[in-house]
């Protein structure tokens, strides 16, 4: 079955460390997205990519970085510059044709220890 | 700037009742509207996608309507069951050069057995 796989499910980060969250899809979707979800704040867009080797900043890109070297993969790195990284991170993908909706992964919960 | 609002933030109803969840948006220039379900600690599951030219979509006990001119959508759940307990989010896909979707903060639904 096609879908989006996020790993790991839980991730713990020490102060000052960079960590990378994985997102892989086998839906053959061109566009991929990273969202952050905090209680009471809804989903906020971090980065998105509509094509390989190209990506755009979302509303809260500071302290994060991404790459899009393959169509199937869109990893997110949470850098030490992100001062409040504890959150639930969701990856999504879509066909760029706006008639279609988004498909989401199961999420990664990141906690700073 | 598009804003999406979901009221109420939380709702409890007895099992077996029919219920309606509300979603409103400020700018009618949308491509489509998507309803999602999210269980605690999980990703988003797409329930229904309504194109801007459509009035409603149905899937099983779920029916979603869209009134683009008034900026409103409703999700109707018939014969509610305890398994319907979850957070329900709506999201609109923007009709502009930014390929983004804007989420509401969700309605947390609890079906009382």
């Amino acid at each position: 079955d096609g879908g989006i796989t996020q790993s790991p499910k839980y991730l713990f980060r020490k102060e000052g460390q960079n960590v990378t969250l994985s997102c892989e899809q086998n839906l053959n979707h061109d566009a991929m997205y990273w969202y952050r979800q905090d209680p009471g704040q809804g989903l906020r867009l971090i980065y998105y990519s509509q094509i390989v080797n190209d990506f755009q900043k979302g509303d809260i890109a500071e302290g994060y970085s991404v790459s899009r070297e393959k169509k199937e993969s869109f990893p997110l790195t949470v850098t030490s510059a992100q001062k409040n990284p504890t959150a639930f991170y969701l990856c999504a993908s879509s066909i760029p044709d706006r008639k279609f909706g988004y498909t989401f992964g199961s999420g990664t919960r990141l906690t700073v220890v | 700037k598009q804003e999406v609002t979901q009221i109420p933030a939380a709702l409890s109803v007895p099992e077996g009742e029919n219920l309606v969840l509300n979603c409103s948006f400020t700018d009618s220039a949308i491509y489509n509207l998507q309803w999602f379900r999210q269980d605690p600690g999980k990703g988003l599951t797409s329930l229904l996608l309504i194109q801007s030219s459509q009035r409603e979509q149905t899937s099983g006990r779920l029916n979603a309507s869209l009134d683009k001119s008034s900026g409103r959508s409703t999700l109707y759940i018939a014969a509610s069951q305890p398994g319907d307990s979850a957070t329900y989010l709506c999201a609109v896909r923007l009709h502009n050069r930014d390929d983004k979707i804007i989420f509401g903060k969700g309605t947390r639904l609890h079906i009382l057995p």
Side-chain angles (χ1 to χ4, degrees), chain A residues 37 94 98-100 102, chain B residues 32 38 51 93-94 96:
Chain A
Q37 187 176 36
S94 175
R98 301 189 194 197
K99 292 198 306 285
F100 294 87
Y102 281 27
Chain B
N32 56 49
Q38 185 176 30
Q51 302 300 334
R93 195 155 190 176
L94 302 182
N96 59 29

Side-chain angles (χ1 to χ4, degrees), chain A residues 9 33 35 37 40-43 45 48 50 59 88 90 94-102 104-106 109, chain B residues 31-32 34 36 38 41-46 49 51 89 93-105:
Chain A
K9 188 176 174 75
Y33 311 82
Y35 287 87
Q37 187 176 36
Q41 294 209 44
L43 278 78
L45 181 64
Y48 64 105
Q50 294 179 297
D59 301 316
F88 190 53
L90 287 160
S94 175
I95 298 173
D97 185 336
R98 301 189 194 197
K99 292 198 306 285
F100 294 87
Y102 281 27
F104 277 82
S106 57
R109 180 160 303 279
Chain B
Y31 266 101
N32 56 49
Q34 195 167 3
F36 294 91
Q38 185 176 30
K42 306 292 185 183
L44 275 64
T45 300
S46 180
L49 174 69
Q51 302 300 334
L89 297 103
R93 195 155 190 176
L94 302 182
H95 194 291
N96 59 29
R97 66 184 188 92
D98 294 328
D99 185 19
K100 296 180 182 178
I101 61 173
I102 306 297
F103 284 88
K105 294 184 179 180

